[in-house]
């Protein structure tokens, strides 16, 4: 198997621009195999855009994003398909297909491989749903008929349908009440132990970070302000880090200071 | 492997197993090795499943050893589970995490009662056709009534009407529809004039092409063409827009904020189409007549001046009024049907598609029905004998 220091995901000197606005500037990040990395930052710090870059949904203005050693911007369709079969994504809004039932939503990535028997696919999908605690009575339900917490679980089941080596979670607990959020974090931890994937969590929730993450990267002013084990980073006295770990909302106007810093 | 001890190695790529027999075939052990995961299994899943089935059939009492596996994911586990007949073999050696995985599978299988729950659509389909049509009719009438009430409310306090929405809707449904309606009208005019001119020529009645074209275009063709184009172009857009608002819970948000759908969404669109469609009717009619003028000149040698002079003499002005009135009514009908199907959209994408289709089909049907009513109601007016 791979050594412990293998780099699964690498971002090198990434720059993202929308028109004249620079979201990321000279951002570098490495994710090692098997670790759980949380990317945190205040709202507007470019977390979601960073995730879109990591998933190849956005093209870098400069720099590169490589997943499993494949540069997403230059890879051909076959190479991209190979990468996409090895990762799973839980979107913040779920991204569930509203025309399909829960089971079919989870079965879809398996069916898309186009080489598995349907009976087998249904068994695997049912297993994934039971892993996230969704019973067979909900298998036929459409996303609009599921509660928010259940839809999130189905989304997670779909994200792990292919037993991904790399799992992206975008704000996994956003919009869930604290009890539900805690149980969802518990579920994530169980699954992380069971499937042992590399996990990248984008979040603004401190509790999620402390419960799940091995390392934490603080995103501020369009670059990584600090990265390291959670306890170490929490002890730093960088203002961006402190703003997050003080569990208080970032001071108003932090976006302006970001622009000011980026300008110099 | 009938007797003695021996080993058979088998496998497909990274996923492999070894069958060991001891004590004259009395004790068989199957040792799995390699990676039993999706990437290795997916392409050869059928062969592996068949091989495993054969293996289990030949050695039902075999002991299984999964401890040497480098990797076992859900797909691998389900493959084995199915080969074993959905239960763990009597003799098996597992690592703890593998045991947990199979325990999950057993639990999932135990609760698998009515896995094939009826899809939500079926219940909807069981609802009788007649009742659905009736409920649509009731909703349409209610929406129309709501529109009248809202209109009265706006008449009292004009500031309540979202004027900005209205003007945007007028621009989108009207100004932006000018090129397409002109093109379609012009071409229909050319074709119509050319074909009927040929027929009239046989009776030496060329010049009556103007009578024919004038009355048909201004009274019938212009309003119909405009209404059908608006239904396809703007009706579908209205339904899709309101339907997506349902998907995004924007409609719920408006309700909660105390913003009435009728006043904010429906009325501006109904008013916009009531204003725009008669104007488009006039525009389309002119374009169609222009096409007729061109074809008459080329085909029958009728000059544009003669055409227009004869049109002035033979076409009672009342017909223009009827055409414009039809425009208003058709515009209102298309807008109400489009809004109705937009609001009836359920929050899933398939429903959105059905709504847009239904909106276009129903609004065109309703326009043609209304046209028939107009034909009966105005049968004695504007027609020279």
């Amino acid at each position: 198997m791979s050594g412990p220091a293998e780099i699964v995901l690498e971002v090198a000197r990434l720059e993202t621009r929308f028109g004249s606005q620079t979201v990321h500037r000279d951002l570098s990040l490495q994710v090692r195999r098997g670790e759980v990395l949380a990317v945190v930052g205040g709202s507007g710090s470019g977390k979601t855009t960073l995730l879109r870059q990591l998933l190849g949904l956005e093209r870098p203005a400069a720099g590169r994003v490589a997943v499993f050693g494949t540069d997403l911007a230059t890879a051909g369709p076959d190479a991209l398909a190979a990468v996409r079969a090895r990762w799973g994504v839980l979107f913040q809004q779920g991204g569930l297909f509203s025309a399909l039932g829960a089971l079919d939503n989870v079965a879809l990535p398996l069916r898309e491989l186009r080489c598995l028997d349907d009976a087998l696919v249904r068994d695997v999908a049912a297993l994934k749903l039971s892993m996230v605690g969704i019973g067979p009575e909900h298998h036929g339900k459409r996303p609009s008929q599921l509660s928010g917490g259940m839809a999130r679980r189905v989304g997670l089941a779909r994200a792990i349908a292919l037993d991904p080596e790399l799992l992206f979670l975008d704000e996994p607990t956003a919009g869930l009440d604290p009890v539900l959020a805690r149980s969802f974090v518990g579920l994530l931890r169980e699954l992380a132990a069971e499937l042992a994937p590399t996990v990248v969590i984008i979040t603004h929730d401190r509790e999620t970070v402390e419960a799940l993450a091995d390392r934490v990267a603080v995103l501020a002013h369009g670059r990584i302000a600090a990265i390291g084990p959670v306890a170490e980073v929490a002890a730093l006295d960088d203002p961006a880090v402190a703003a997050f770990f003080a569990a208080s909302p970032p001071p108003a106007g932090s976006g302006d200071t970001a622009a000011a810093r980026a300008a110099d | 492997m009938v007797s003695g001890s021996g080993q058979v190695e088998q496998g497909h790529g990274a996923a492999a197993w070894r069958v060991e027999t001891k004590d004259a075939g009395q004790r068989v052990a199957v040792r799995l090795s390699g990676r039993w995961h999706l990437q290795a299994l997916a392409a050869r899943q059928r062969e592996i499943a068949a091989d495993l089935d054969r293996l289990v059939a030949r050695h039902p009492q075999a002991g299984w050893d999964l401890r040497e596996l480098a990797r076992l994911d859900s797909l691998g586990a389900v493959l084995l589970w199915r080969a074993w007949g959905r239960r763990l073999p009597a003799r098996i050696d597992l690592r703890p995490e593998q045991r947990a995985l199979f325990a999950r599978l057993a639990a999932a299988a135990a609760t698998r009662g009515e896995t094939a729950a009826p899809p939500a659509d079926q219940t909807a389909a069981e609802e009788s056709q007649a009742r659905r049509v009736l409920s649509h009719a009731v909703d349409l009438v209610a929406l129309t009534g709501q529109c009248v009430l809202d209109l009265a409310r706006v008449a009292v306090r004009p500031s309540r009407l979202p004027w900005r929405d209205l003007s945007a809707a007028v621009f989108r449904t009207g100004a932006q529809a000018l090129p397409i309606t002109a093109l379609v009208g012009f071409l229909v005019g050319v074709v119509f004039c050319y074909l009927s001119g040929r027929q009239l020529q046989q009776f030496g009645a060329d010049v009556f092409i103007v009578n024919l074209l004038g009355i048909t275009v201004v009274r019938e063709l212009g309003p119909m063409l405009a209404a059908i184009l608006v239904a396809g172009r703007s009706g579908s857009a209205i339904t899709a827009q309101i339907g997506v608002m349902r998907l995004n819970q924007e409609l719920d948000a408006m309700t909660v904020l105390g913003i009435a759908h009728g006043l904010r969404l429906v009325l501006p669109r109904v008013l916009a189409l009531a204003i725009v469609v008669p104007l488009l009717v006039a525009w389309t009619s002119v374009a169609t007549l222009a096409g007729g003028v061109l074809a008459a000149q080329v085909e029958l040698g009728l000059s544009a001046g003669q055409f227009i002079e004869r049109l002035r003499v033979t076409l009672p002005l009342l017909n223009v009024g009827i055409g414009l009135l039809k425009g208003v009514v058709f515009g209102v009908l298309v807008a109400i049907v489009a809004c109705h199907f937009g609001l009836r959209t359920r929050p899933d994408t398939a429903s959105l598609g059905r709504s847009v289709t239904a909106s276009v089909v129903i609004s065109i049907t309703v326009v043609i029905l209304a046209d028939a009513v107009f034909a009966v109601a105005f049968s004695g007016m504007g027609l020279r004998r």
Side-chain angles (χ1 to χ4, degrees), chain B residues 4-329:
Chain B
S5 66
Q7 285 191 6
V8 179
E9 291 233 25
Q10 233 182 326
H12 295 267
W17 62 89
R18 195 168 72 229
V19 180
E20 297 175 358
T21 43
K22 283 180 195 148
D23 306 340
Q26 292 304 299
R27 283 178 51 205
V28 182
V30 183
R31 290 185 203 287
L32 304 186
S33 61
R35 296 181 177 199
W36 285 65
H37 67 159
L38 187 90
Q39 277 78 20
L41 297 171
R44 286 176 292 265
Q45 168 247 322
R46 287 197 182 86
E47 293 98 301
I48 295 173
D51 282 350
L52 283 175
D53 283 346
R54 232 170 292 138
L55 188 62
V56 172
R58 199 182 306 161
H59 307 295
Q61 301 302 320
W64 292 72
D65 185 353
L66 275 58
R67 286 170 302 182
E68 292 167 29
L69 276 181
R71 179 129 194 252
L72 177 70
D73 74 358
S74 311
L75 183 71
V78 172
L79 258 179
L80 289 168
W81 181 254
R82 290 167 66 88
W84 291 334
R86 297 184 177 282
R87 60 189 166 78
L88 276 182
R91 289 189 294 131
I92 185 160
D93 291 312
L94 294 167
R95 288 206 301 262
E97 75 271 15
Q98 294 169 341
R99 194 167 288 283
L101 184 56
F102 284 111
R104 269 204 197 281
L105 260 172
T111 54
R112 252 174 97 106
E114 13 51 284
T115 303
D121 244 22
Q122 215 149 329
T123 46
E126 278 161 16
E127 190 188 346
S128 81
Q129 191 77 18
R131 263 172 88 179
R132 270 224 316 277
V133 172
L134 188 70
S135 89
H136 275 286
V138 168
D139 276 8
L140 269 172
V141 170
L143 194 63
T144 314
Q146 183 66 48
C147 258
V148 173
L149 291 178
D150 287 338
L151 195 62
R153 227 168 280 162
V154 164
V156 177
R157 276 176 55 194
S159 63
R160 294 186 58 137
L161 188 73
W163 292 98
R164 192 186 286 269
D165 290 2
L166 178 64
S167 102
V170 166
F171 177 71
R172 269 199 312 274
T173 55
Q176 293 184 339
L178 291 179
I180 181 72
T181 45
L183 179 70
V184 170
F186 184 81
L187 292 178
V188 167
V190 169
V191 172
F192 188 79
C193 182
Y194 174 78
L195 290 177
S196 11
R198 273 293 176 80
Q199 305 304 313
L200 290 173
Q201 236 172 356
Q202 293 178 8
F203 307 103
D206 313 13
V207 82
F208 284 98
I209 186 68
V210 182
N211 305 38
L212 187 61
L213 206 62
I215 197 85
T216 350
V217 167
V218 171
R219 205 177 152 115
E220 279 298 323
L221 220 46
M224 284 294 269
L225 280 179
I228 289 173
L229 285 173
V230 166
R233 207 184 153 275
S234 309
S236 57
I238 290 172
T239 307
Q241 199 186 3
I242 298 180
V244 169
M245 292 179 81
R246 166 78 70 206
L247 252 59
N248 286 342
Q249 293 191 312
E250 289 172 51
L251 292 182
D252 299 343
M254 289 177 74
T255 309
V256 171
L257 290 170
I259 302 169
H261 297 161
L263 199 61
R264 199 50 163 272
L265 294 176
V266 181
L267 193 62
R269 287 171 173 80
V270 171
L271 283 182
L273 287 194
I275 295 166
V276 154
V277 178
L279 298 177
L280 283 179
V281 166
W283 168 260
T284 313
S285 301
V286 168
T288 314
L289 287 175
V293 168
L294 182 74
Q297 201 157 12
V298 172
E299 178 73 12
L300 307 171
L302 201 65
S303 80
Q306 286 171 300
F307 191 104
I308 291 167
E309 176 57 24
R310 193 161 169 79
L311 191 65
R312 201 179 62 76
V313 175
T314 58
L315 182 72
L317 212 55
L318 183 60
N319 288 303
V320 177
I322 294 176
L324 295 182
L325 178 64
K326 278 186 176 181
V328 176
V329 173

Side-chain angles (χ1 to χ4, degrees), chain A residues 1 85-86 98-99 115-117 119-120 123-124 126-128 130-131 136 139 142 144-145 162-163 190 194, chain B residues 35 38-39 42 45-46 71 73-75 78 82 86 101 104-105 108 111-112 115 120-121 347-350:
Chain A
M1 288 282 296
R86 292 167 70 185
S98 59
C115 52
L116 299 178
D117 278 342
L120 183 72
D123 274 354
V124 176
L127 172 65
K128 297 297 181 189
S130 94
M131 280 182 177
H139 285 183
R142 302 281 179 85
S144 57
Q145 296 166 311
L162 298 177
D163 281 87
E190 251 175 61
E194 202 166 314
Chain B
R35 296 181 177 199
L38 187 90
Q39 277 78 20
Q45 168 247 322
R46 287 197 182 86
R71 179 129 194 252
D73 74 358
S74 311
L75 183 71
V78 172
R82 290 167 66 88
R86 297 184 177 282
L101 184 56
R104 269 204 197 281
L105 260 172
T111 54
R112 252 174 97 106
T115 303
D121 244 22
D348 63 86
T349 46

Side-chain angles (χ1 to χ4, degrees), chain A residues 64-141:
Chain A
R64 65 179 222 129
V65 177
V67 181
F68 304 122
T70 307
D71 187 341
L72 296 179
T74 58
D78 289 344
L80 271 182
V83 169
R84 287 178 177 149
R86 292 167 70 185
W87 76 25
V89 185
L90 172 65
F91 287 99
Q92 188 178 351
Q93 308 293 340
L96 292 175
F97 301 108
S98 59
L100 299 178
L103 186 80
D104 288 327
N105 256 297
V106 179
L108 186 98
L110 293 157
R111 289 192 174 128
E112 279 305 300
L113 295 171
R114 296 187 189 288
C115 52
L116 299 178
D117 278 342
D118 203 56
L120 183 72
V121 166
R122 294 183 70 85
D123 274 354
V124 176
L127 172 65
K128 297 297 181 189
L129 282 172
S130 94
M131 280 182 177
V132 298
I134 301 280
E137 66 275 17
H138 303 300
H139 285 183
K141 286 191 184 167

